[in-house]
Amino acid sequence: MVRKNLLRQTFNWMTVLLQNLQMSQSKFVMIEKENQICVLYGSQTGTAQEVAERIGRDAKKRHFSTKVLPLDAYPLANLIHQRLVVFVCATTGNGDPPDNMKTFWKFILKKSLPSNSLSLLNYAVLGLGDSSYQKYNVIGKKLFRRLEQLGGEPIQPVGLGDDQHELGPDAVIDPWIQQLWQNVLSLFPMAPGQTQLPDDYRLPPKYELKYLDPEESSESPVSIPESNMHLGEVLVNQRVTATNHFQDVRLVTVDISNSGFSYSPGDVLMVQPENCSESVQEFIECLQLDPNKLFILKQNDPDVSLPAELPQPCSIYHLLKTYLDINAIPRRYFFELMATFSEDELEKEKLQEFTTAEGQSDRYDYCNRVRRTTLEVLQDFKQTVPKIPFEYIFDLISPLKPRAYSIASSQKKSAMTVDILVAAVKYRTKLQKPRLGICSNWITSREPHSTLPVWIKPGSFIFPANPDIPVIMVGPGTGCAPFRSFIQERTSQNIGESYIFFGCRNQKKDYFFQEEWEKLEQSNLLHVFPAFSRDQEDKVYVQHVLLKQKALVWKLLDVEKAYFYIAGNANQMPNNVQDAVVEIVETEGGRSKNDAEEYVKYLEQTKRYQVECWS
């Protein structure tokens, strides 16, 4: 179906393109209004979407007709006669596009597109990424170049926001957006008599909210899940780390019978989390809300659709429990909007300071450095909170985003269940309360027979279909999850030639699948090379064990044409492993450092070297 839609969009674009080229005497007939700006985003975790919405608000204050849409929701055929588009695109995984721009990405990279396809387009691209990843901001960079290749006119250089910057991505985003409006208004000035609305002008709320009287609806709201979501029953929630280990890691088995789901090794299980009851209760008390009060939502803006995840009517409790991310770190617009409600001089001054360029360092120290949550910020600004109209809650607080977990099982071994490996995120900062990962702690708290809202999405790994091809897998910690899936897939068919380099701290504390893998080793279906970093004086990591097995690794790569995979934390491990592979090629293959690096690049290009990491 996706392929058919892609072909149809290609045909539509080419048809409209030909029509425009034939209308040389009136080529502007199909051009959108000059005061229209489209802000299109590719967002995986919500950051790019929030930045796009910020640009959309700025556009409205400058009297532009504005649309803010995910890229895959935008009619591609319209792009050839669009005058002004701002693209905000995150880079995910190992240089992958976000899920909500994958169709667009495949289409825009087609070599058959004419080089003057976008000759009417003025554009700007803001990339969002994390410089700890090997392919930092590659989507933003490639998109900028590709639009120019198709005839588009860039109005400023590509912006590259970096999560690793000491002030976060705003250090790049703020000046980039400031420059954007200078360039936009020089090309498309406001009409005579129009002036820009003040920065602190409060736009109408995203949705119109109407409370219901108790007699208007006595029915309890029922969640309306995503169309492909399944309420899977938790069958097993087993801790796989020792009780005295610092980290609680669980192997969770979910029943997916009657779901119609099918999956392959490398796919991911998406989980839609809920806020914990304690946080919800604190939020209710902070804003002095009636949790049982019912409301309905209506559109305030025809271009902003209502949230499909919420029932109509909905209770305030249901909204807080299942929809709003009340424990997220608030972004700058949160403070900007809060300041418009504040009547307390000191609180208003502080809120406004957090929205200025000069105040970014203070805001970062207050929020990001200590991981202060939205709820905790609201509790700090006690004089302002009572002044916030509840209909602005959707503008203040973003929705809870689903989390992705690599599937750690094979459907060939168990058709009716799916396993995931979940590490409960818990750590301390200077704040009194420990910081908790919303989804991981919610999952690990689920008792058997409770449910998880889940669905399946394709992962980025492409495993070889040919059973004769050896596979080298490097997966420290929970990074081993997708490899367990592939190992089960192969061994269930008595296929060997699988080599896994697994890393953990201690053999007796966090060696997740030791017994299972040792049995497979005895059957000569698996070769395991563990690295225990804390079981001896000198720390031993997976890259060290790779180097110890350099003759084997080189033979597998060069002679037997093995595939090489890395999964796990994106901090230093992927780079350290790649350095080890380059060294192996250099020493065992008798090549120069430069040639060894080119060899690894070739493996990447041919999909024989793949990386899937997360921060």
Side-chain angles (χ1 to χ4, degrees), residues 554 558 582-593 595-596:
W554 174 245
D558 199 58
V582 169
E583 184 176 338
I584 289 169
V585 176
E586 190 178 355
T587 57
E588 295 298 303
R591 309 194 180 198
S592 67
K593 177 88 176 283
D595 287 346

Side-chain angles (χ1 to χ4, degrees), residues 133-317:
Y133 284 73
Q134 290 179 330
K135 295 191 176 179
Y136 164 61
N137 251 321
V138 68
I139 298 300
K141 295 173 185 176
K142 280 187 176 181
L143 177 60
F144 183 86
R145 291 195 299 268
R146 183 57 177 154
L147 294 171
E148 194 168 27
Q149 290 170 356
L150 295 174
E153 183 66 32
I155 63 174
Q156 68 188 72
V158 61
L160 302 174
D162 184 5
D163 284 347
Q164 292 300 314
H165 193 283
E166 61 180 3
L167 299 180
D170 280 347
V172 169
I173 292 171
D174 289 352
W176 189 89
I177 290 179
Q178 186 177 12
Q179 184 64 48
L180 173 73
W181 290 118
Q182 292 178 15
N183 295 334
V184 167
L185 291 174
S186 69
L187 289 169
F188 305 100
M190 286 182 282
Q194 284 185 334
T195 56
Q196 179 184 326
L197 297 173
D199 288 339
D200 60 355
Y201 177 82
R202 188 196 310 152
L203 293 166
K206 189 179 293 186
Y207 310 116
E208 179 186 341
L209 184 147
K210 178 189 174 186
Y211 286 116
L212 299 182
D213 294 327
E215 60 270 16
E216 287 187 80
S217 179
S218 57
E219 296 183 6
S220 299
V222 178
S223 179
I224 302 174
E226 182 173 316
S227 60
N228 61 342
M229 188 185 288
H230 172 70
L231 286 177
E233 181 185 354
V234 176
L235 301 178
V236 176
N237 187 345
Q238 175 190 1
R239 178 165 179 152
V240 290
T241 49
T243 54
N244 61 343
H245 187 59
F246 82 101
Q247 192 173 43
D248 181 0
V249 179
R250 304 294 182 98
L251 183 64
V252 180
T253 302
V254 182
D255 185 352
I256 58 169
S257 58
N258 303 317
S259 68
F261 291 164
S262 62
Y263 64 89
S264 302
D267 287 350
V268 296
L269 187 74
M270 304 298 298
V271 181
Q272 182 63 47
E274 293 183 1
N275 291 306
C276 68
S277 300
E278 292 81 0
S279 293
V280 173
Q281 186 57 40
E282 283 186 55
F283 193 96
I284 288 168
E285 292 172 0
C286 179
L287 271 69
Q288 299 179 348
L289 302 171
D290 177 358
N292 299 315
K293 201 166 185 63
L294 295 171
F295 64 87
I296 59 172
L297 294 177
K298 295 182 179 179
Q299 282 183 290
N300 244 356
D301 184 332
D303 292 325
V304 179
S305 57
L306 296 176
E309 302 88 343
L310 287 179
Q312 295 268 40
C314 181
S315 72
I316 288 178
Y317 183 85

Side-chain angles (χ1 to χ4, degrees), residues 47 51 54 128 161-163 165 167-177 330-333 354 357 360 363-364 368:
T47 304
V51 174
R54 171 184 169 184
L128 299 178
D162 184 5
D163 284 347
H165 193 283
L167 299 180
D170 280 347
V172 169
I173 292 171
D174 289 352
W176 189 89
I177 290 179
R331 304 186 190 276
R332 189 167 73 173
Y333 181 62
F354 283 154
Q360 294 313 290
R363 180 172 65 86
Y364 187 85
N368 299 68

Side-chain angles (χ1 to χ4, degrees), residues 541-558:
Y541 297 113
V542 284
Q543 64 266 24
H544 301 133
V545 179
L546 276 167
L547 289 170
K548 285 183 179 179
Q549 300 294 330
K550 58 185 179 180
L552 171 64
V553 172
W554 174 245
K555 176 176 174 289
L556 291 170
L557 285 175
D558 199 58

